[in-house]
Amino acid sequence: MRVTTSRLVQNVLTTGNDQGEPVVFVHGNVSSAAFWRDTMATLPERYRPLAPDLRGFGQTDPEPVDATRGLRDYSDDLLALLDALGLERVHLVGWSMGGGVVLQALRDRPSVVASVTLVNPVSPYGYSGTEGAEGRLTHQDGTGSGAGAANPDFVARLQGGDRGDEAPTSPRSVFRSSYVAKPVADEDFYVESMLTTRVGPAHYPGDAVSSDAWPGVRPGVSGVLNALAPTHFRLDDLHELEVKPPILWIRGADDVIVSDTSLFDLAHLGALGVVPGSPGTAAQPMVTQTRAVLERYGPYTEVVLPECGHSPHLEYPAEFQQALQAHLSR
């Protein structure tokens, strides 16, 4: 359905059930609400599942992303959607970048949140450019993160609608190698969802900015990857909230996107010799950082699925549903 909010017109995937406790599913980067289709369909009728396309993805208005606000363009859109639908209290489920979006919504309006489920979420200290459990900036300007870290061939193939698997940088190949650790059904469906991503300086990956320091890139001011940069997105005060709904953190043990040794982190790629010239910059310990923030926060549960990649809801749907429903019914 299409929902006009105070900020933009959003496309929202539903199951047709408009009764019950609202559960809002937020997708990640280079995807859309379609990635939640099967999860929503198997949710008990006591819940009302809703999954919006974020701006620049799916069929929602492609408004530009102001990266200097971190993920707040997305989280403010989400809160505006809740207002437009008259939803006063909801369960939030966020995958990958969507995990950061729901945590930002929790940070800004905790009273509306009944529970939070994080699925392989981005670190609360952004993506790349930080070190240690405390998320210490490697460089004050965020060098090592931002739109310049994106693989240009992947960006070109995404923009060109490449549906093949001949190149390792095609969306289909990236889905197979990075989104999941094992084959899943309906691969074509998910590739089509990836291809709805708007490409350009205002969207994915954003405006690329060079740096004199290794690895030669730093965050710009617009677009997705810059919004994820640690100079723009940082959540280290969640433990100060007076209202603390319970958090479920469910992740795949073999995730290569969000990991303490991420294959998308230039610092780790430098350590592997894939990006030459590394001065020894430490990899971002993304999982360790998330755990440190949640331990300070308080009421959270961590569930780790073995032999699972970045998408537990696709790879192990039964186990994911079991954990999610137990959490929602607390």
Side-chain angles (χ1 to χ4, degrees):
M1 67 177 178
R2 305 281 289 174
V3 180
T4 300
T5 75
S6 59
R7 294 175 55 81
L8 76 173
V9 179
Q10 300 186 49
N11 187 66
V12 182
L13 181 67
T14 73
T15 61
N17 177 16
D18 59 1
Q19 303 296 319
E21 299 177 47
V23 184
V24 181
F25 295 86
V26 183
H27 66 82
N29 194 13
V30 191
S31 64
S32 73
F35 271 71
W36 291 117
R37 178 195 62 178
D38 294 346
T39 302
M40 294 169 61
T42 53
L43 208 61
E45 290 188 2
R46 61 173 287 194
Y47 299 108
R48 177 189 179 186
L50 301 158
D53 289 331
L54 299 176
R55 64 170 60 196
F57 301 97
Q59 302 305 313
T60 286
D61 285 355
E63 296 298 319
V65 176
D66 179 357
T68 66
R69 305 186 69 236
L71 294 177
R72 274 199 169 99
D73 270 355
Y74 300 118
S75 61
D76 285 353
D77 290 347
L78 176 62
L79 294 173
L81 175 66
L82 303 186
D83 291 340
L85 294 175
L87 302 178
E88 297 180 353
R89 193 163 174 79
V90 301
H91 300 279
L92 294 178
V93 183
W95 167 54
S96 193
M97 181 179 77
V101 173
V102 302
L103 283 180
Q104 186 68 66
L106 169 65
R107 167 65 181 78
D108 293 342
R109 199 190 295 181
S111 62
V112 79
V113 183
S115 75
V116 171
T117 299
L118 303 174
V119 186
N120 292 59
V122 63
S123 165
Y125 298 135
Y127 200 86
S128 297
T130 66
E131 303 175 20
E134 74 281 10
R136 180 179 66 257
L137 284 169
T138 302
H139 298 274
Q140 288 304 304
D141 64 358
T143 287
S145 65
N151 184 301
D153 195 56
F154 172 71
V155 175
R157 291 177 182 277
L158 185 67
Q159 186 171 34
D162 185 352
R163 293 170 171 80
D165 60 2
E166 295 81 8
T169 51
S170 73
R172 185 180 300 275
S173 296
V174 170
F175 177 85
R176 291 175 180 173
S177 65
S178 305
Y179 282 44
V180 295
K182 66 175 186 176
V184 298
D186 288 344
E187 181 181 89
D188 288 347
F189 176 77
Y190 298 115
V191 171
E192 290 303 317
S193 170
M194 295 171 69
L195 292 175
T196 67
T197 302
R198 309 308 200 279
V199 175
H203 297 293
Y204 182 85
D207 62 318
V209 181
S210 63
S211 171
D212 292 334
W214 186 90
V217 297
R218 62 180 175 85
V221 298
S222 63
V224 182
L225 295 189
N226 294 319
L228 287 165
T231 47
H232 300 316
F233 174 67
R234 183 179 180 89
L235 290 172
D236 56 2
D237 60 352
L238 292 173
H239 60 284
E240 297 179 1
L241 294 175
E242 293 185 4
V243 177
K244 294 181 180 178
I247 294 178
L248 168 65
W249 175 24
I250 183 168
R251 62 183 182 87
D254 299 325
D255 189 358
V256 299
I257 296 178
V258 175
S259 167
D260 283 1
T261 53
S262 170
L263 295 181
F264 289 74
D265 178 18
L266 293 182
H268 182 58
L269 292 177
L272 295 176
V274 176
V275 178
S278 170
T281 301
Q284 180 189 11
M286 303 176 185
V287 172
T288 296
Q289 290 175 350
T290 295
R291 186 175 296 114
V293 168
L294 293 182
E295 285 179 351
R296 288 200 305 273
Y297 175 83
Y300 89 97
T301 302
E302 180 180 356
V303 175
V304 183
L305 297 178
E307 300 181 4
C308 179
H310 190 59
S311 311
H313 53 304
L314 304 185
E315 299 170 77
Y316 290 91
E319 291 83 351
F320 180 83
Q321 276 286 346
Q322 182 179 14
L324 175 63
Q325 290 182 32
H327 182 61
L328 295 179
S329 63
R330 289 179 62 179

